[in-house]
Amino acid sequence: MKHRKLLSTFLVLAFMQVNAQQDLSNEKIFSMSLEELMNIEVSVATKKSTSIRETPGVVTIIQREEIKNSGAHDLLGLLQLLAPGFEFGVDVEGVVGVGIRGVWAHEGKVLLMVNGMEMNEEMFATTQFGNHFNIDNIERIEIVRGPGSAIYGGYASMGVINIITRSLDNSGYVAATGSLMTESLSHLNFATGGGASIEDFKINVNASYNIGNRSQDKITDYAGNVNSMLDSSEITSLFLDVTAKYNGLKFQGIIDNYEINYIDLWGENFTDYVISGKFNTYMSSVEYVANVSEWATVTPWLQYKYQKPWNVEIPEQEYTNEKYITKFSGGINSDLNFGENIFVTSGVSFYNQRLNQPSGNRSEFESYFKDSSDYLEITNVSVFSQGILKLEPINFTLGGRFNHSNAFGGSFVPRLGLTSASEQWHAKLMVAQAFRIPGGIIPDRIPFGADDISPEKATNFETEFGLKVTQNSWITLNAFYTFYNDVIVYGTTDSGIGTYVNKGKLGTSGFEAEYRLAFDRIKGGISYAFHEPLHDTTYNFRVEKHSPYFLGFAKHKVNGYASFKLSDCLWFNTSARFLGKRYSFTGVDTMGADLLTEQAEQFILNANIRFSGLANKHIDLTAGVNNITNEKVMFLAPYQSGHGPLPGQGISFFAKVSFNL
């Protein structure tokens, strides 16, 4: 069975190669050739626009046409299909989080941004996935697979995801997606947006409202109780992004309200009624780009964030969480160009973050903080600088960041990158340190008698090599070695309150390979990702001592996708995903010992047909099937959390219509 699944995945690529030999038409499947795609300029890894092949980082760009052809409905679906090394696992309270290269990055190790604005919730620094961030609002996604702390600070030690929303000039769009599983709704998503400009003033709006369900399958908790998720896993999200520009002045406002229904509270199914958890974010920012000379740009900026994350009330459990967060940030960035070969970017920033406990009745979980105060306050100051020196044939990148927090002390992380590129190949070598600044409530969750929490620090070694195989195909291989000391480890008190201490080590090593091709009417790719824990990784994150498996994540993953232009307006798209076997703790035996369970390999196949540019290029129609093989998708716990697997979606049938003004 295993070999059949692997063979099926690679047949996707074989089918692409055979058909690619036919010169079907001179019309491009996309507006860019493969060579143009491989030389797209990005700034997510350096804050300086540099081609993907020369930027000192392992970078993935997911573009608008790939998004439309993918058949995905949200950010989770896109990353599963098109971002090598990304996987997802279950946390608590119905939340699904992200892992990168085998490392559970959910709690403060990956930075999620929308147009450069930080979206992580500030209580634990997590991100939430599943029917979140409608793809019809997205122009492209820029991803760094690897350390980003030297540029972006303490939430970026394992990766950066930057969503770029659509920017339209005197035009707009409306889109609707309906998707059904065999017994329930999968997604019912609506998106709209538009832009207008008057001389030097420009405004853009993107909005969406999404309704869906996590699963219709049965969930088994850690105690062995079985319940259905059919009417207890609804997910709704509301998103609004407004951006206004006038010359060098830019304003952006974001509303992101995310609500999930669940019965899996903390590893035990809660059957009295369905629980509703909310994550509400309201943000605004303003910046001004001042060109002080031909070679210097200075950008002051301010940002305000108000959040109510993990907001829930469960009277039967005498549990409620109504804490809210205010965060005020600001800084100044400067960009200096010394001719065509030397570029320096620097900045200083600060923030004041306050976690507030509302007054009134409290359960034991909602008591005052340790100092008998009703708030926790953290102030943070950072200084960073990075220089890029272009000398044929090698580009040098050198930089670093110093960060100081009143709660966690100081951290310094350096960064060095060497890149070289020619028409036929490119090569990269990167060495960098990264750090994780814990979320705002962590200082209050240190067990009695334990030392204060210090930031996690990671050391990263990465290398990448890319080769143009033919005029229309490219292969890229990267290898990585990452290790953390003094990892922040989660635990619980006897009453169930979470605790955190610095304890043990965490490390991963492996490689990722990608093959991409682009012909006149055919475009696609295939990727393989492999990772395994370093030998001294703490027991909280691995199957057992010296095991080559991380908890919750497959060490082998293969993705393949292909798009075929059958006529001027008709596309056929297919994608496949293979996950190797996985392990997680799923319950306890009669003696109270944790039970380790193996999750078998999975092969997930998707297909859709898209009619593009109908009605004088105003209407797009897409219909398709996801998870054709109806695999039992499971989000496993990637650490010893006492939480059983969370079911995902089986086979679903969808249709989408979008109208472009």
Side-chain angles (χ1 to χ4, degrees):
M1 184 67 176
K2 173 181 177 181
H3 299 296
R4 290 211 311 267
K5 291 179 177 179
L6 280 170
L7 178 61
S8 300
T9 304
F10 282 97
L11 281 175
V12 174
L13 176 61
F15 182 57
M16 289 157 45
Q17 280 282 55
V18 170
N19 285 275
Q21 308 306 316
Q22 304 177 32
D23 186 10
L24 301 178
S25 171
N26 291 325
E27 295 179 5
K28 297 291 185 182
I29 185 171
F30 299 125
S31 60
M32 293 184 176
S33 66
L34 180 65
E35 185 169 355
E36 291 172 324
L37 289 169
M38 293 303 297
N39 285 283
I40 293 173
E41 290 197 344
V42 296
S43 60
V44 67
T46 61
K47 292 203 173 182
K48 163 66 177 175
S49 291
T50 310
S51 74
I52 293 178
R53 298 192 301 123
E54 293 181 291
T55 195
V58 179
V59 177
T60 296
I61 306 297
I62 304 175
Q63 298 193 92
R64 181 73 194 140
E65 286 295 328
E66 293 174 306
I67 292 171
K68 289 193 291 186
N69 287 337
S70 68
H73 307 315
D74 55 23
L75 183 60
L76 185 151
L78 283 174
L79 295 178
Q80 281 181 323
L81 289 174
L82 300 175
F86 274 69
E87 288 188 65
F88 295 87
V90 60
D91 188 23
V92 294
E93 299 184 35
V95 170
V96 169
V98 65
I100 302 177
R101 294 173 168 173
V103 173
W104 180 230
H106 170 63
E107 199 165 353
K109 288 188 176 71
V110 61
L111 174 64
L112 175 63
M113 300 186 292
V114 173
N115 300 329
M117 293 180 68
E118 176 189 280
M119 300 301 295
N120 297 58
E121 56 88 5
E122 300 290 346
M123 189 177 294
F124 297 97
T126 66
T127 53
Q128 302 78 43
F129 290 87
N131 210 25
H132 202 183
F133 301 110
N134 190 314
I135 68 166
D136 291 302
N137 293 142
I138 299 174
E139 181 64 33
R140 71 180 186 277
I141 303 172
E142 299 178 348
I143 301 167
V144 176
R145 309 196 309 274
S149 295
I151 294 294
Y152 293 103
Y155 290 169
S157 64
M158 280 301 298
V160 180
I161 305 167
N162 188 26
I163 299 170
I164 310 297
T165 56
R166 296 174 68 177
S167 179
L168 302 112
D169 191 4
N170 296 317
S171 61
Y173 66 93
V174 178
T177 301
S179 180
L180 294 174
M181 294 179 283
T182 55
E183 297 181 63
S184 71
L185 176 73
S186 166
H187 293 79
L188 183 59
N189 296 350
F190 303 92
T192 187
S197 59
I198 304 174
E199 296 182 348
D200 294 327
F201 176 78
K202 183 174 182 178
I203 186 169
N204 262 279
V205 178
N206 289 278
S208 61
Y209 181 70
N210 312 303
I211 306 170
N213 286 286
R214 179 82 72 191
S215 180
Q216 64 181 15
D217 292 337
K218 293 181 178 180
I219 181 172
T220 303
D221 68 14
Y222 219 66
N225 302 309
V226 180
N227 298 93
S228 175
M229 295 178 66
L230 183 61
D231 298 313
S232 59
S233 64
E234 184 175 275
I235 303 175
T236 61
S237 60
L238 171 69
F239 176 80
L240 174 65
D241 167 53
V242 179
T243 304
K245 297 180 181 179
Y246 179 74
N247 293 327
L249 184 65
K250 177 183 175 182
F251 166 83
Q252 184 175 359
I254 290 178
I255 296 174
D256 179 39
N257 290 345
Y258 186 67
E259 181 175 353
I260 53 178
N261 288 345
Y262 56 92
I263 56 174
D264 53 312
L265 187 54
W266 299 303
E268 183 176 353
N269 292 346
F270 188 70
T271 57
D272 291 348
Y273 62 86
V274 177
I275 306 166
S276 177
K278 299 177 182 178
F279 297 79
N280 294 338
T281 298
Y282 306 88
M283 300 176 62
S284 62
S285 71
V286 61
E287 67 177 43
Y288 181 72
V289 180
N291 297 310
V292 297
S293 70
E294 293 182 357
W295 53 273
T297 300
V298 176
T299 306
W301 59 274
L302 295 171
Q303 181 175 298
Y304 178 76
K305 178 191 285 188
Y306 174 89
Q307 285 185 320
K308 291 189 71 174
W310 302 96
N311 181 236
V312 66
E313 182 176 359
I314 312 171
E316 281 77 358
Q317 294 278 321
E318 296 185 353
Y319 175 71
T320 178
N321 179 24
E322 296 183 346
K323 298 180 182 72
Y324 65 94
I325 296 156
T326 57
K327 184 176 182 179
F328 182 74
S329 312
I332 299 176
N333 296 335
S334 66
D335 298 328
L336 305 176
N337 288 283
F338 300 98
E340 296 182 357
N341 297 322
I342 302 177
F343 176 84
V344 177
T345 181
S346 304
V348 58
S349 62
F350 74 92
Y351 67 75
N352 177 273
Q353 174 186 300
R354 183 164 166 161
L355 175 61
N356 301 275
Q357 172 65 72
S359 59
N361 295 327
R362 291 180 171 86
S363 69
E364 60 177 308
F365 296 96
E366 282 279 294
S367 60
Y368 285 97
F369 297 116
K370 284 183 177 179
D371 60 358
S372 298
S373 173
D374 59 0
Y375 68 90
L376 282 173
E377 190 169 27
I378 297 177
T379 58
N380 195 90
V381 178
S382 288
V383 179
F384 81 90
S385 185
Q386 176 178 269
I388 300 175
L389 175 62
K390 294 186 175 183
L391 295 176
E392 294 294 339
I394 299 176
N395 298 333
F396 297 84
T397 301
L398 179 64
R401 173 182 287 265
F402 175 76
N403 189 90
H404 186 271
S405 164
N406 70 326
F408 307 110
S411 297
F412 174 71
V413 289
R415 180 190 194 195
L416 171 66
L418 306 176
T419 66
S420 183
S422 72
E423 184 178 344
Q424 298 296 324
W425 58 269
H426 73 264
K428 304 178 183 182
L429 176 64
M430 292 85 67
V431 181
Q433 286 193 314
F435 63 95
R436 169 194 167 192
I437 292 292
I441 201 172
I442 305 303
D444 195 62
R445 297 294 180 89
I446 302 171
F448 179 78
D451 294 334
D452 289 342
I453 293 288
S454 60
E456 293 178 343
K457 182 174 283 189
T459 302
N460 304 267
F461 300 92
E462 296 179 292
T463 184
E464 180 177 283
F465 180 76
L467 179 67
K468 182 191 287 187
V469 181
T470 69
Q471 189 65 29
N472 302 93
S473 62
W474 198 284
I475 189 168
T476 304
L477 174 68
N478 76 78
F480 54 87
Y481 185 94
T482 299
F483 62 90
Y484 288 82
N485 290 315
D486 298 324
V487 180
I488 300 173
V489 176
Y490 172 81
T492 59
T493 65
D494 292 339
S495 60
I497 297 176
T499 61
Y500 293 86
V501 295
N502 289 103
K503 182 180 179 181
K505 299 182 179 182
L506 171 64
T508 183
S509 64
F511 65 91
E512 298 152 348
E514 293 184 86
Y515 178 79
R516 301 183 68 180
L517 58 82
F519 286 79
D520 291 338
R521 289 182 177 264
I522 301 170
K523 183 178 178 183
I526 191 167
S527 67
Y528 170 69
F530 167 84
H531 63 255
E532 62 182 14
L534 301 185
H535 73 280
D536 54 355
T537 292
T538 183
Y539 69 91
N540 297 69
F541 304 104
R542 68 188 310 157
V543 171
E544 56 188 19
K545 190 174 182 180
H546 305 313
S547 167
Y549 282 86
F550 281 104
L551 283 171
F553 297 137
K555 64 186 297 183
H556 302 282
K557 180 182 177 183
V558 181
N559 285 351
Y561 69 95
S563 296
F564 305 91
K565 190 171 184 179
L566 305 179
S567 69
D568 289 344
C569 64
L570 179 61
W571 304 70
F572 173 72
N573 307 292
T574 184
S575 62
R577 179 162 61 97
F578 170 82
L579 280 178
K581 62 183 179 181
R582 298 173 291 163
Y583 296 90
S584 69
F585 293 104
T586 58
V588 293
D589 61 19
T590 56
M591 302 298 293
D594 291 311
L595 289 172
L596 184 67
T597 303
E598 177 182 314
Q599 178 83 21
E601 300 99 333
Q602 290 190 331
F603 176 73
I604 297 173
L605 181 65
N606 315 298
N608 69 77
I609 296 175
R610 183 165 75 93
F611 297 88
S612 174
L614 303 178
N616 199 23
K617 299 185 178 181
H618 287 299
I619 296 177
D620 276 16
L621 299 174
T622 307
V625 185
N626 287 332
N627 194 358
I628 295 172
T629 52
N630 198 25
E631 290 278 2
K632 296 296 183 182
V633 174
M634 289 288 184
F635 299 105
L636 307 183
Y639 64 106
Q640 287 190 318
S641 64
H643 201 296
L646 179 68
Q649 296 187 348
I651 186 172
S652 62
F653 305 85
F654 75 91
K656 172 185 287 190
V657 57
S658 60
F659 179 76
N660 304 297
L661 303 177

